Amino acid sequence: MSAAGEAPLVGGDFGLLSPVWAGSRAEAMTSDAALVDALVLGEAALICALAQAGIAPASTEALAAHLGQVPIDPRRLAVEAVAGGNPVIPLVQHLRESATAAFGHETANWIHHGATSQDILDTAMMLLATDVLAVVAEDLGAAADRLAELAVRYRGVPIVARTLGQQALPTTLGLRVAGWLTGTRDALHSIHALQPLPASLAGPVGTAHVYGADGPAVLDAFAGRLSLSAPTLSWHTRRGAVLGLANALVMVGAAGGKVAADVLVMSQTEIGEVRESSGGASSSMAHKSNPVRSLLIASAARQLPALAAVIGTSAVAEQERPAGAWHAEWQPLRTMLRLAGGVAALTRDLVDGLVFDEDALARNLELLRSALGEDETWTDAHLRAADVWVDRALEADQGKVDDHDLDGSLRRGPADPP
Amino acid sequence: MSAAGEAPLVGGDFGLLSPVWAGSRAEAMTSDAALVDALVLGEAALICALAQAGIAPASTEALAAHLGQVPIDPRRLAVEAVAGGNPVIPLVQHLRESATAAFGHETANWIHHGATSQDILDTAMMLLATDVLAVVAEDLGAAADRLAELAVRYRGVPIVARTLGQQALPTTLGLRVAGWLTGTRDALHSIHALQPLPASLAGPVGTAHVYGADGPAVLDAFAGRLSLSAPTLSWHTRRGAVLGLANALVMVGAAGGKVAADVLVMSQTEIGEVRESSGGASSSMAHKSNPVRSLLIASAARQLPALAAVIGTSAVAEQERPAGAWHAEWQPLRTMLRLAGGVAALTRDLVDGLVFDEDALARNLELLRSALGEDETWTDAHLRAADVWVDRALEADQGKVDDHDLDGSLRRGPADPP
Amino acid sequence: MSAAGEAPLVGGDFGLLSPVWAGSRAEAMTSDAALVDALVLGEAALICALAQAGIAPASTEALAAHLGQVPIDPRRLAVEAVAGGNPVIPLVQHLRESATAAFGHETANWIHHGATSQDILDTAMMLLATDVLAVVAEDLGAAADRLAELAVRYRGVPIVARTLGQQALPTTLGLRVAGWLTGTRDALHSIHALQPLPASLAGPVGTAHVYGADGPAVLDAFAGRLSLSAPTLSWHTRRGAVLGLANALVMVGAAGGKVAADVLVMSQTEIGEVRESSGGASSSMAHKSNPVRSLLIASAARQLPALAAVIGTSAVAEQERPAGAWHAEWQPLRTMLRLAGGVAALTRDLVDGLVFDEDALARNLELLRSALGEDETWTDAHLRAADVWVDRALEADQGKVDDHDLDGSLRRGPADPP
Amino acid sequence: MSAAGEAPLVGGDFGLLSPVWAGSRAEAMTSDAALVDALVLGEAALICALAQAGIAPASTEALAAHLGQVPIDPRRLAVEAVAGGNPVIPLVQHLRESATAAFGHETANWIHHGATSQDILDTAMMLLATDVLAVVAEDLGAAADRLAELAVRYRGVPIVARTLGQQALPTTLGLRVAGWLTGTRDALHSIHALQPLPASLAGPVGTAHVYGADGPAVLDAFAGRLSLSAPTLSWHTRRGAVLGLANALVMVGAAGGKVAADVLVMSQTEIGEVRESSGGASSSMAHKSNPVRSLLIASAARQLPALAAVIGTSAVAEQERPAGAWHAEWQPLRTMLRLAGGVAALTRDLVDGLVFDEDALARNLELLRSALGEDETWTDAHLRAADVWVDRALEADQGKVDDHDLDGSLRRGPADPP
């Protein structure tokens, strides 16, 4: 089964239990292989920064370029990482060995010069996060554009509003969609507010002591190379940026989750107000067409807050680097990036293909109207009240910055000119 | 308001299991009695807003003033709230009864006009949160000021940095404290970024239909009365503001929790580098002096992220108002406000009274120096490296806005002139 | 005990934000006043156990009886608890002062003899938990009995089964109810498996050193007095029993939550298959009748797992007693007891009053049948298949132990004969 | 980098961010490939059960044997799973296609006969869990045996007990280890209490309608084939067994986490009472030797409770199969299995290699003794008190069932004789 060359494929996880992100861009951007790339990119940027700060000779740029060519097997690295507790330790060893062979011992020693494992891993995670946030922003931005269209298109369609599971009063389909739009913009706003995420280069104990008084200059150069921000101080044990990132990912889950929750209610057989463009099949009931995007989004939105709680607990970290809290953060953060990436992609696809059944919408509204003995005037009054808010939402939406301009590709490789 | 009379005090919770907030300002600001006050304040502000918008006659301002005089027993209200599932339903009934007696039926009917329970309760929660955030900001701001002093005072004191529980390399006490300072400023920044929190006035289904085209105007007037912000749209099922609030409270827990975690390590008997101004007694060991502020802060920081996960899960809310998600949010949010309030107060007290033992700091550093066979030159080099970052932190700190100016008391009562 | 006198009622929490447990038996059993009672009961039982083990003179039984008479104000105690970080420290001081006045210093010194605060507080929490589990078992047991009746009554009523929100195939109302029954029995089973919960009497560091070789005998006597179990070893930092308790409370939430979730689906206006005996009112829509029990149960079921995560994280506790983990456990555990107590009471009430609409059930089934072009034979075949499982569930139910015999009142007071 | 034949290795996760389980038996047992095996095993067992119950012809046993030979690429399956929301749908399609080619359409149709995706996936997850629990029990059992030896060996070594971070009173190293032992046995007990985990075979809506009155018989045969238990009723939306499993995995984390927490305190440089057999290297400080097993265990113990909260929230599942709750359960459950598997393996390794420094233990105790002005008599009295509890713990340990006999390999393949 499977078989990757001779090496047996053992222990690999390709999302078989996570259809919400299996095959997604976010998955590819956060795979073990992508992480290795980001770690190596960080080590290369460090060499360039050392040269830029006049610490290492300019000739080390060849060394930086070399690093990207060193073959690293993520599978082997994962197992090697156990002994020291993190993947940077064996990675640096592999890089140094290869560089020593190519450039000699002295040059190779510039690798990881002055950095600690946490600098490189935290920086790599922020690079992965930057990439994922860019596609999340692209997908949510496209979803928002589509939702703005739908809000306009359906602003004149009165529907039943439901509270606590019960038919309540009329609203419009346009206003319900405008709510989805506003929530999506909220999530986009929280993503923008994070940018750029910070680089880390504080050395083993937060003093970057190897650089002496040049620490801030090296950090600034390092961060600039990677299009990340340079923090005031070490964030080895000051995790506000990670908390903020986790919060933004929960926001993404909430934005998509809200749309999904509404579609799940509205697509129930007896209600029948909407269906997804194409339904999910059932393994046992040929007649079924399941709201599969919505339920996958819903499943992701349920996981994100609990994972954020791990990040939150890990934000309390003792002394200069903690014994456990930091290590507990890695996998939950990657999982959150994947879940949010999957939510954004599926939400975009979901809203793109929603098929509303206006007959059903009208029928359900008629049910309420007759229960209350109301006439069309009544419906019209509610429609007009709702429409004021659609205007307000669309107006606010115009004022928003362009959410499409988040660009993970801005990140330059280490060989680029400074 | 409240007042038990003969009724036996049953079921009351005064923080006996929560010494982190028992007796704190945050507790008083979030008690059931304070909540009743905030609910009534919201109902009164609504009446004024209706008058301001020309919907209700100006004479209803007397009605608004009357509401604050109606005696409401929080204990009874809590039990009455069960039948409808929220406290606003019986509260409105009590207010209307009293107002009918005083002003007649027609005037009394302006109470709660066009609002739904969630409007009043969400708004009241934001009022409580505003109050608590103000004292949190005051306490954290004072702690930050103190930490800035300590960072300056101890910038020349070399100490052992510890990573993964082990002695690592030198840093300075000033830099460790500068890390606490920066984390505290991060939390303050996240609090400021929330301000002002939103009011809610969207009516039963988010259309504020009773106000027709005047919905936005009434909302703006209502929010203005309460010094809250007016949202674009209903946030009955768009909970980004609540997520952001929860995230800021987790940030507060992390900021105080970091200081506490370091004090817990440094105050261990064998390490002995710091002690709290006064130690906690033991019920069984007279010789003990426990770092009680630190452990209470630590206990709060452990609870906040899990409670935020409830808020996060509740952010996915179906249709116009959900069946369970919203109700699940109330008590966790109050508990978070209290925990964060307690953390801020205890952190201020903690940093105010820290007593460092410079002999112990030197002794532990000497242990490292002899293990590595290093001399004082080595220590000095590390000290200078660390000091560069203390400068950077202090400089960044100067640029921060004054965090003391958050003012919960800005909130005006309903009888104030508009 | 308690009684505020002139003191204004500040900071009290009576469940105004927790209608799921406001006014419930579980609330009363876990109030601060009830906790004070349990703490005092523990201290009194310790004195009796010391006498029983021959350590204290038999005459100290009068001292034990005296303790219950010492007036303790929970509000004041809560604030006094801050200094030492737990309420037992000031409580013991009050008890000793009163006993010294009544019996002299020497006798009073038997109070808390050999115990540590954690012994008394952990024991008191287990007493509260025992009480709450007894009423939870009573309520869930009554609900189960009712559900067994309903399963029989409705075993012949075919209804639509729904999967992923969509109509799927027929089942019977009897089988759906049998699922509720089985889930309820699962929760009851997990409660029974916990009994009796452990007492704690391990002294300041787990050696009960004050009792020398008599430690186990004193522990056994102490536990016996309180109808709790005597653990093998100190559980100050071995929290399996608390984890098990938390898991059982989550099970209670899941059992009630499942019924509530189904009622929330089935009671939607367009589906209309069931309604609660009496609906919840709305503050803004007179025509509404909300499924209020179900949504309150649902709101509780959402909170329990997150609170259990705090308990889970606190189960890792360093050395003989930890700096933060234990303190973080108290309030979440109490909240879980209250939520589970509220869920059980509301579930009992909910299932007692469910009103099924057989016409709606038939109409919705007809919708499926016509969509699939099936006839009654088809429905009958599904009914017969379902009925086999109803038989199996009822048979399993007969074999269950009587869940009504959990009796919190077995706990004897300290003045009882041994 | 990486490269598996021609196919680019995209999206694979090999534990690079999870050194706690990278390369572990638990990882291999829960890989996507292992999951495919378990899914296929379930489908094959179903065919055998149908034959055993006389529903399918006996000749279908060849079909069952065939299934294990069908090549399935987990990577492709993961992506195919997105459309329907779960991997069973495309898997069944692949199996049917292959079987149709080999045996014809009619025979191939016995595949998945009467089952639904959830039956096969839930059953497969329980098979994976059974495997992991077996190695967890083996590892924890070995750790417990070692701990029993250590408790005996060190029962006469007095050490400092610490509470709230401070030196408190003497205990013995033997008693501290006996606490680890008892906690480990508690976790083993909770694992045993789960066995055997349940199979699922309830059909699309819990009635197993395709089997008519034979449903229970087919379920019993199916469960028997897989050495799983046969539940009373469908557990599609009754998740007590999954909650119990999650709780046991949290117990494993707590048991290992307690040992790790103590080692992290005791191995601090200034305390120096213990070190791991071999220390973890640092990427930046050659002199460091980090307690890497302990911190990896600690990092896992921090994640387990939050993941259990997702399981807990998913335990509330509406109607016959829910829209999101079930899907949210899969990946967290797998992650929990891996984390617990890693904790057990690392704990076994940790306790096997602990090196205590008796000089440091004595030196730290002397610090306490001089602070209190006590002599050796005092220490001896504490040692004797502690030793009573060591006896009690060892005695209790003897009475425990043999924890090594859990055997995942009992699970028979479908081709085995019945």
Side-chain angles (χ1 to χ4, degrees):
Chain A
M1 191 172 304
S2 71
E6 298 101 306
L9 188 68
V10 175
D13 181 352
F14 305 94
L16 199 56
L17 290 177
S18 299
V20 71
W21 53 254
S24 69
R25 292 192 286 176
E27 181 198 15
M29 287 170 162
T30 57
S31 70
D32 278 1
L35 176 64
V36 169
D37 286 345
L39 293 169
V40 171
L41 191 61
E43 293 287 1
L46 171 57
I47 291 167
C48 297
L50 290 171
Q52 186 175 329
I55 291 176
S59 61
T60 52
E61 299 242 336
L63 172 64
H66 176 78
L67 296 192
Q69 312 307 318
V70 182
I72 303 289
D73 179 348
R75 267 175 287 196
R76 190 180 309 165
L77 195 67
V79 175
E80 291 168 344
V82 179
N86 80 60
V88 179
I89 299 170
L91 175 68
V92 167
Q93 196 177 342
H94 291 304
L95 295 179
R96 282 192 180 140
E97 279 169 14
S98 174
T100 300
F103 300 95
H105 188 67
E106 196 177 350
T107 298
N109 266 355
W110 289 112
I111 296 172
H112 202 64
H113 179 75
T116 194
S117 298
Q118 187 167 358
D119 290 327
I120 300 303
L121 187 47
D122 274 352
T123 298
M125 293 301 284
M126 291 303 109
L127 291 173
L128 300 190
T130 302
D131 285 350
V132 171
L133 290 180
V135 300
V136 165
E138 183 186 314
D139 284 336
L140 285 190
D145 290 348
R146 171 70 175 166
L147 290 170
E149 285 172 31
L150 295 177
V152 172
R153 182 182 312 166
Y154 293 116
R155 63 189 302 168
V157 178
I159 63 171
V160 165
R162 296 180 181 91
T163 64
L164 290 69
Q166 305 298 298
Q167 288 201 348
L169 288 172
T171 184
T172 64
L173 183 52
L175 181 53
R176 187 173 290 159
V177 171
W180 301 346
L181 167 63
T182 309
T184 303
R185 292 287 182 207
D186 291 345
L188 282 163
H189 178 73
S190 74
I191 290 173
H192 278 282
L194 296 172
Q195 306 282 342
L197 292 163
S200 178
L201 188 58
V205 299
T207 59
H209 70 282
V210 169
Y211 315 136
D214 292 330
V218 181
L219 169 61
D220 292 345
F222 177 70
R225 286 276 171 174
L226 298 166
S227 296
L228 297 173
S229 65
T232 302
L233 275 194
S234 168
W235 48 286
H236 289 161
T237 53
R238 187 175 52 90
R239 310 302 283 174
V242 190
L243 286 178
L245 174 56
N247 183 56
L249 298 171
V250 172
M251 289 282 288
V252 171
K258 165 60 179 164
V259 183
D262 281 349
V263 171
L264 287 172
V265 169
M266 297 168 76
S267 66
Q268 291 174 94
T269 309
E270 289 86 351
I271 293 180
E273 296 177 343
V274 74
R275 61 180 172 79
E276 298 191 5
S277 56
S278 59
S282 159
S283 77
S284 52
M285 294 174 287
H287 63 281
K288 285 205 62 184
S289 172
N290 291 317
V292 68
R293 291 167 198 77
S294 299
L295 72 90
L296 290 180
I297 294 167
S299 77
R302 285 166 165 272
Q303 296 173 63
L304 283 160
L307 294 165
V310 180
I311 309 291
T313 307
S314 287
V316 175
E318 78 280 3
Q319 301 287 286
E320 276 61 43
R321 282 188 290 124
W326 176 56
H327 294 74
E329 208 183 64
W330 312 339
Q331 183 70 12
L333 183 55
R334 166 155 73 178
T335 306
M336 291 186 77
L337 290 169
R338 287 176 172 176
L339 290 170
V343 164
L346 286 168
T347 300
R348 177 183 187 166
D349 191 35
L350 173 67
V351 303
D352 214 51
L354 286 177
V355 182
F356 293 101
D357 182 333
E358 299 201 31
D359 291 343
L361 288 161
R363 185 178 64 240
N364 291 332
L365 179 58
E366 177 56 31
L367 197 64
L368 174 67
R369 201 156 50 186
S370 25
L372 301 185
E374 298 285 358
D375 61 13
E376 296 228 345
T377 320
W378 177 78
T379 309
D380 286 349
H382 280 93
L383 186 153
R384 283 194 306 273
D387 214 39
V388 173
W389 297 99
V390 174
D391 273 334
R392 184 164 162 123
L394 293 172
E395 205 168 291
D397 195 50
Q398 295 307 317
K400 292 285 165 65
V401 296
D402 180 7
D403 297 309
H404 296 207
D405 58 5
L406 266 187
D407 188 356
S409 69
L410 280 179
R411 180 179 9 131
R412 275 162 302 173
D416 288 358
Chain B
M1 192 168 306
S2 74
E6 299 99 311
L9 188 69
V10 176
D13 181 352
F14 305 94
L16 198 56
L17 290 177
S18 299
V20 70
W21 53 254
S24 69
R25 292 192 286 175
E27 181 198 15
M29 287 171 163
T30 57
S31 70
D32 277 2
L35 176 63
V36 169
D37 285 344
L39 292 168
V40 171
L41 190 62
E43 293 288 0
L46 171 57
I47 292 167
C48 296
L50 291 170
Q52 186 175 329
I55 292 177
S59 60
T60 53
E61 299 241 336
L63 172 64
H66 174 78
L67 296 191
Q69 313 308 318
V70 181
I72 304 288
D73 178 348
R75 265 176 287 198
R76 189 181 308 165
L77 195 67
V79 175
E80 291 169 344
V82 179
N86 80 59
V88 179
I89 300 170
L91 174 68
V92 168
Q93 196 176 341
H94 291 304
L95 296 179
R96 281 192 180 140
E97 279 169 14
S98 173
T100 300
F103 302 93
H105 187 67
E106 197 176 350
T107 297
N109 267 356
W110 288 112
I111 295 173
H112 201 65
H113 179 74
T116 195
S117 297
Q118 187 167 358
D119 290 327
I120 300 304
L121 187 47
D122 275 352
T123 298
M125 293 301 283
M126 292 303 110
L127 291 174
L128 300 190
T130 301
D131 285 350
V132 171
L133 290 179
V135 299
V136 166
E138 183 186 314
D139 283 335
L140 285 190
D145 292 347
R146 170 73 175 164
L147 290 170
E149 285 171 31
L150 294 178
V152 172
R153 182 182 313 168
Y154 293 116
R155 62 189 303 167
V157 178
I159 63 170
V160 165
R162 296 181 181 90
T163 65
L164 290 68
Q166 306 296 301
Q167 289 202 349
L169 287 172
T171 185
T172 62
L173 183 53
L175 181 53
R176 187 172 290 157
V177 170
W180 301 347
L181 167 63
T182 310
T184 303
R185 291 289 181 205
D186 291 346
L188 282 163
H189 178 74
S190 75
I191 289 172
H192 278 281
L194 297 171
Q195 307 281 347
L197 292 164
S200 178
L201 189 59
V205 299
T207 59
H209 71 281
V210 169
Y211 315 136
D214 293 330
V218 181
L219 168 61
D220 292 344
F222 177 69
R225 285 277 170 175
L226 297 166
S227 296
L228 298 173
S229 66
T232 301
L233 276 193
S234 166
W235 48 285
H236 289 161
T237 56
R238 187 176 51 90
R239 310 301 283 173
V242 189
L243 286 177
L245 173 56
N247 183 56
L249 298 172
V250 172
M251 289 281 288
V252 172
K258 166 59 180 163
V259 183
D262 281 349
V263 172
L264 288 171
V265 169
M266 296 169 75
S267 65
Q268 289 173 95
T269 309
E270 290 86 352
I271 293 181
E273 297 176 343
V274 75
R275 60 181 172 80
E276 299 191 3
S277 56
S278 59
S282 160
S283 77
S284 51
M285 294 174 288
H287 63 280
K288 285 204 64 184
S289 172
N290 291 316
V292 67
R293 291 168 197 78
S294 299
L295 72 91
L296 290 180
I297 294 168
S299 77
R302 286 166 164 272
Q303 297 172 62
L304 284 159
L307 294 165
V310 180
I311 309 291
T313 308
S314 287
V316 175
E318 79 279 4
Q319 300 288 285
E320 276 61 42
R321 283 189 288 125
W326 176 56
H327 294 73
E329 207 183 65
W330 312 338
Q331 183 71 12
L333 184 55
R334 165 155 73 179
T335 305
M336 291 187 77
L337 290 169
R338 287 175 172 177
L339 289 170
V343 164
L346 286 168
T347 300
R348 178 183 187 165
D349 191 33
L350 173 66
V351 303
D352 215 50
L354 286 176
V355 181
F356 293 101
D357 181 334
E358 299 201 32
D359 290 342
L361 289 162
R363 186 179 61 240
N364 291 332
L365 179 58
E366 177 56 32
L367 195 64
L368 175 67
R369 201 157 48 187
S370 28
L372 299 185
E374 298 285 358
D375 60 14
E376 296 229 344
T377 319
W378 177 78
T379 308
D380 285 350
H382 281 92
L383 185 152
R384 283 193 306 273
D387 213 40
V388 173
W389 298 100
V390 174
D391 273 334
R392 187 165 161 121
L394 294 172
E395 206 167 292
D397 196 50
Q398 294 309 314
K400 293 284 165 64
V401 296
D402 180 7
D403 296 310
H404 296 207
D405 60 4
L406 267 187
D407 188 357
S409 68
L410 280 180
R411 171 163 39 112
R412 274 161 304 173
D416 289 356
Chain C
M1 191 170 304
S2 73
E6 300 98 309
L9 188 68
V10 175
D13 181 353
F14 305 95
L16 198 57
L17 289 177
S18 300
V20 70
W21 54 253
S24 69
R25 291 193 286 174
E27 181 198 14
M29 286 171 164
T30 57
S31 69
D32 278 0
L35 176 63
V36 169
D37 286 345
L39 292 168
V40 171
L41 190 60
E43 294 286 2
L46 170 57
I47 292 167
C48 297
L50 290 170
Q52 186 175 329
I55 291 176
S59 59
T60 53
E61 299 241 335
L63 172 64
H66 175 78
L67 298 190
Q69 311 309 316
V70 181
I72 304 288
D73 179 348
R75 265 176 288 198
R76 187 179 310 165
L77 195 67
V79 175
E80 291 168 343
V82 179
N86 80 60
V88 179
I89 299 170
L91 174 69
V92 167
Q93 195 176 342
H94 291 305
L95 295 179
R96 281 193 181 141
E97 279 168 15
S98 173
T100 299
F103 300 96
H105 187 66
E106 195 177 352
T107 297
N109 268 355
W110 288 111
I111 294 173
H112 202 64
H113 180 74
T116 195
S117 298
Q118 187 166 359
D119 290 327
I120 299 304
L121 186 47
D122 275 352
T123 298
M125 293 301 283
M126 293 303 110
L127 292 174
L128 300 190
T130 301
D131 285 350
V132 170
L133 289 180
V135 299
V136 165
E138 183 185 315
D139 284 336
L140 285 190
D145 291 347
R146 172 70 174 167
L147 290 170
E149 285 172 31
L150 295 177
V152 172
R153 182 184 311 166
Y154 293 116
R155 64 189 301 167
V157 178
I159 64 170
V160 166
R162 296 180 181 92
T163 65
L164 291 66
Q166 305 298 300
Q167 288 201 351
L169 288 172
T171 184
T172 63
L173 184 52
L175 181 53
R176 187 172 290 159
V177 170
W180 301 346
L181 167 63
T182 310
T184 304
R185 291 289 182 206
D186 291 345
L188 281 164
H189 178 73
S190 75
I191 290 172
H192 277 282
L194 296 172
Q195 308 281 346
L197 292 163
S200 177
L201 188 59
V205 297
T207 58
H209 71 281
V210 169
Y211 314 136
D214 292 330
V218 181
L219 169 61
D220 292 346
F222 177 70
R225 285 276 170 174
L226 298 166
S227 296
L228 298 173
S229 65
T232 300
L233 277 194
S234 167
W235 49 285
H236 289 162
T237 54
R238 186 174 54 89
R239 310 301 282 175
V242 189
L243 286 177
L245 173 56
N247 183 56
L249 298 171
V250 172
M251 289 282 289
V252 171
K258 166 59 180 164
V259 182
D262 281 349
V263 171
L264 288 171
V265 170
M266 297 168 75
S267 66
Q268 289 173 95
T269 309
E270 290 86 351
I271 293 181
E273 297 177 344
V274 74
R275 59 180 174 80
E276 298 190 4
S277 55
S278 59
S282 159
S283 76
S284 50
M285 294 175 287
H287 62 280
K288 284 205 64 184
S289 171
N290 292 317
V292 68
R293 291 167 197 78
S294 299
L295 71 91
L296 290 181
I297 294 168
S299 77
R302 285 166 165 273
Q303 298 173 61
L304 284 160
L307 294 165
V310 180
I311 309 289
T313 307
S314 288
V316 175
E318 79 280 3
Q319 301 288 285
E320 276 61 42
R321 283 188 289 123
W326 176 56
H327 294 74
E329 207 183 66
W330 312 340
Q331 183 71 10
L333 184 54
R334 165 154 74 178
T335 306
M336 292 187 77
L337 290 169
R338 287 175 173 176
L339 289 170
V343 164
L346 285 167
T347 300
R348 178 182 186 167
D349 191 34
L350 173 66
V351 304
D352 214 50
L354 286 176
V355 181
F356 293 100
D357 181 333
E358 299 202 30
D359 290 344
L361 288 161
R363 185 179 64 241
N364 291 332
L365 180 58
E366 178 55 31
L367 196 64
L368 173 67
R369 201 156 50 186
S370 25
L372 300 185
E374 298 285 359
D375 61 12
E376 296 229 344
T377 319
W378 177 78
T379 308
D380 286 350
H382 280 93
L383 185 153
R384 282 193 307 274
D387 214 40
V388 173
W389 298 100
V390 175
D391 273 334
R392 186 164 160 123
L394 293 172
E395 205 167 291
D397 196 50
Q398 295 309 315
K400 292 285 165 65
V401 296
D402 180 8
D403 297 309
H404 295 207
D405 59 5
L406 267 187
D407 187 357
S409 68
L410 280 179
R411 172 165 34 116
R412 273 162 304 172
D416 289 357
Chain D
M1 193 171 302
S2 70
E6 296 100 307
L9 188 68
V10 176
D13 181 353
F14 305 94
L16 198 56
L17 290 177
S18 300
V20 70
W21 53 254
S24 70
R25 291 192 286 175
E27 180 198 17
M29 285 172 164
T30 57
S31 70
D32 277 2
L35 176 64
V36 169
D37 286 345
L39 293 168
V40 171
L41 190 61
E43 294 287 0
L46 170 56
I47 292 167
C48 297
L50 291 169
Q52 187 175 328
I55 292 176
S59 60
T60 52
E61 299 241 335
L63 172 63
H66 175 78
L67 296 191
Q69 311 308 317
V70 181
I72 304 288
D73 179 348
R75 268 175 285 196
R76 188 180 309 164
L77 195 66
V79 175
E80 293 168 343
V82 179
N86 80 61
V88 179
I89 300 169
L91 174 68
V92 167
Q93 196 177 340
H94 291 304
L95 296 179
R96 280 192 181 141
E97 279 169 16
S98 173
T100 300
F103 301 95
H105 188 67
E106 196 176 351
T107 297
N109 268 354
W110 289 111
I111 294 172
H112 201 65
H113 179 75
T116 195
S117 298
Q118 187 167 359
D119 290 328
I120 300 304
L121 186 47
D122 275 352
T123 298
M125 292 301 283
M126 291 303 109
L127 291 174
L128 300 190
T130 301
D131 285 350
V132 171
L133 290 180
V135 300
V136 165
E138 185 186 313
D139 284 336
L140 285 190
D145 291 348
R146 171 71 175 165
L147 290 170
E149 284 171 31
L150 294 178
V152 171
R153 183 182 313 167
Y154 293 115
R155 61 189 303 168
V157 178
I159 63 171
V160 165
R162 297 181 181 90
T163 65
L164 290 66
Q166 306 297 301
Q167 289 201 348
L169 287 173
T171 183
T172 63
L173 183 52
L175 181 53
R176 187 173 289 158
V177 170
W180 300 348
L181 167 63
T182 309
T184 304
R185 292 289 180 205
D186 292 345
L188 281 164
H189 179 73
S190 76
I191 290 172
H192 278 282
L194 297 171
Q195 308 281 345
L197 292 163
S200 177
L201 189 58
V205 299
T207 58
H209 70 282
V210 169
Y211 315 136
D214 293 330
V218 181
L219 168 61
D220 292 346
F222 177 69
R225 285 276 171 175
L226 297 166
S227 296
L228 298 173
S229 65
T232 301
L233 275 194
S234 168
W235 49 285
H236 288 162
T237 54
R238 186 175 52 88
R239 309 301 284 175
V242 190
L243 286 178
L245 174 56
N247 183 56
L249 299 171
V250 172
M251 289 282 289
V252 172
K258 166 58 179 165
V259 182
D262 281 349
V263 171
L264 287 171
V265 169
M266 296 168 76
S267 65
Q268 289 173 95
T269 309
E270 290 86 351
I271 293 181
E273 297 176 343
V274 75
R275 60 181 173 79
E276 298 191 3
S277 55
S278 59
S282 159
S283 77
S284 50
M285 293 175 288
H287 63 281
K288 285 203 63 184
S289 172
N290 291 317
V292 67
R293 290 167 198 79
S294 298
L295 71 91
L296 291 180
I297 294 168
S299 77
R302 284 166 166 272
Q303 297 173 61
L304 284 159
L307 293 165
V310 180
I311 309 291
T313 308
S314 287
V316 175
E318 78 279 4
Q319 300 288 283
E320 276 62 42
R321 282 189 290 125
W326 176 57
H327 294 73
E329 206 183 66
W330 312 339
Q331 183 71 11
L333 184 55
R334 165 156 72 179
T335 305
M336 291 187 77
L337 290 169
R338 287 175 172 176
L339 289 170
V343 164
L346 286 168
T347 300
R348 178 183 186 166
D349 192 33
L350 174 66
V351 303
D352 215 49
L354 286 176
V355 181
F356 293 101
D357 181 334
E358 300 202 30
D359 290 343
L361 289 162
R363 186 178 61 241
N364 291 333
L365 180 58
E366 178 55 32
L367 197 64
L368 174 66
R369 202 157 47 186
S370 23
L372 300 186
E374 297 285 358
D375 60 14
E376 296 230 344
T377 320
W378 178 77
T379 309
D380 286 350
H382 282 92
L383 186 153
R384 282 194 306 273
D387 213 41
V388 172
W389 297 98
V390 174
D391 273 334
R392 186 163 160 125
L394 293 172
E395 205 168 294
D397 195 50
Q398 293 309 314
K400 292 284 165 65
V401 296
D402 179 7
D403 296 309
H404 295 206
D405 60 4
L406 266 188
D407 187 358
S409 68
L410 279 178
R411 174 169 29 119
R412 272 162 304 171
D416 288 357

